[in-house]
């Protein structure tokens, strides 16, 4: 004989609960309240940012106004052309002085002690019957020119030899020699002749003759600094 046992208990079955209208209204109210709170908080934040931006704009406008006032009272001046030109000239002068100093220190000019030693040498190398009428020295003593007169041609080699013994002229040489015969000017023909005086032709014939010479250290005549003419 069999017996069927029912193990199902309705108490353990999951019950389906339906939301009531009251619960729905309460939930909707909470959602609306939370949304309103978020909107209110966001509005407060936006208002605070707007006030901060307005305050910053006021400060910026005030600073811009002060800046404009300063520029109006103290306008920026342009470059003065006179001052700019003076500065450029001063810079050019300074560069020129520096370059000149470097040249002098490097000894590129050769003789930097002047021309006094040369003229003293010309004066010491004295020969009777010979005299100088002009002298010229160019540059650092590389170009020397002498002009003078001599009563006899053989006195000129003696003078050149005397010059070669001067320390200031050591290593110097002459590459050109020009010589011309000249005569002292005679008295004018219209000058009155005193009684017993020689005729004008005789005076001209008896006028002393001399030789003009020109010594140059180069083939071309030298002319430059230190020139002396008589």
């Amino acid at each position: 004989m069999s017996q069927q046992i029912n193990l199902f208990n309705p108490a353990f079955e999951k019950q389906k609960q339906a939301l009531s209208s009251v619960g729905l209204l309460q939930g909707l109210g909470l959602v609306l309240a939370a949304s309103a709170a978020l909107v209110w908080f966001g509005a407060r934040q936006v208002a605070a940012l707007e006030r901060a931006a307005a305050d910053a704009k006021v400060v910026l406008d005030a600073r811009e106004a002060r800046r404009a006032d300063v520029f109006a009272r103290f306008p920026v001046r342009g470059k003065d052309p006179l001052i700019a030109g003076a500065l450029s000239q001063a810079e050019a002068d300074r560069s020129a002085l520096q370059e000149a100093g470097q040249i002098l220190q490097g000894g590129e000019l050769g003789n930097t002690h002047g021309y006094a030693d040369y003229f003293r040498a010309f004066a010491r190398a004295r020969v009777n019957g010979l005299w100088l009428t002009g002298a010229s020295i160019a540059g650092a003593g590389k170009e020397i020119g002498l002009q003078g007169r001599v009563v006899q041609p053989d006195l000129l080699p003696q003078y050149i030899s005397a010059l070669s013994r001067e320390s200031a002229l050591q290593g110097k040489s002459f590459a050109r020699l020009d010589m011309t015969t000249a005569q002292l000017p005679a008295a004018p023909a219209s000058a009155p002749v005193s009684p017993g005086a020689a005729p004008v032709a005789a005076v001209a014939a008896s006028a002393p003759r001399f030789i003009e010479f020109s010594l140059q250290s180069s083939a071309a005549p030298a002319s430059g600094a230190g020139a002396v003419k008589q």
Side-chain angles (χ1 to χ4, degrees):
M1 181 177 179
S2 62
Q3 184 180 359
Q4 184 178 3
I5 299 174
N6 186 8
L7 299 178
F8 175 74
N9 187 355
F12 293 102
E13 185 179 3
K14 187 175 180 181
Q15 301 292 327
K16 294 181 180 181
Q17 298 181 357
L19 293 177
S20 62
S21 59
V22 176
L24 290 175
L25 291 175
Q26 290 177 351
L28 182 59
L30 291 174
V31 171
L32 292 176
S35 299
L38 290 176
V39 171
W40 175 80
F41 181 76
R44 286 181 59 87
Q45 294 294 323
V46 171
L49 292 175
E50 289 178 349
R51 287 194 300 271
D55 295 340
K57 187 176 184 303
V58 171
V59 174
L60 181 61
D61 291 342
R63 291 181 178 178
E64 288 293 334
R66 287 197 299 268
R67 179 174 177 272
D69 181 64
V70 169
F71 278 115
R73 294 170 58 187
F74 306 100
V76 179
R77 296 181 180 179
K79 292 184 178 180
D80 191 340
L82 296 179
I83 296 178
L87 289 176
S88 300
Q89 184 62 39
E91 183 66 23
D93 294 342
R94 185 180 69 87
S95 300
L97 289 175
Q98 289 180 346
E99 184 177 358
Q102 292 175 358
I103 293 175
L104 289 175
Q105 292 177 0
E108 296 180 12
L109 289 179
N111 174 29
T112 58
H113 304 289
Y115 304 101
D117 291 341
Y118 290 98
F119 290 107
R120 281 193 287 265
F122 298 155
R124 284 194 297 264
R126 185 163 37 192
V127 175
N128 291 330
L130 182 149
W131 65 98
L132 295 179
T133 59
S136 61
I137 304 174
K142 296 181 180 181
E143 299 292 336
I144 299 176
L146 297 175
Q147 298 80 39
R149 295 173 179 176
V150 62
V151 296
Q152 295 179 2
D154 57 352
L155 297 178
L156 191 56
Q158 298 179 24
Y159 183 66
I160 295 176
S161 178
L163 289 176
S164 64
R165 292 191 294 269
E166 293 292 334
S167 59
L169 298 174
Q170 293 294 322
K172 308 293 183 181
S173 61
F174 295 99
R176 175 176 175 175
L177 171 62
D178 296 327
M179 301 177 65
T180 57
T181 302
Q183 185 176 3
L184 291 176
S190 60
V193 179
S194 60
V200 174
V203 173
S206 63
R209 293 177 177 272
F210 58 89
I211 298 173
E212 290 186 341
F213 68 88
S214 174
L215 280 172
Q216 304 294 340
S217 59
S218 63
S223 61
V228 177
K229 297 292 183 183
Q230 294 181 354

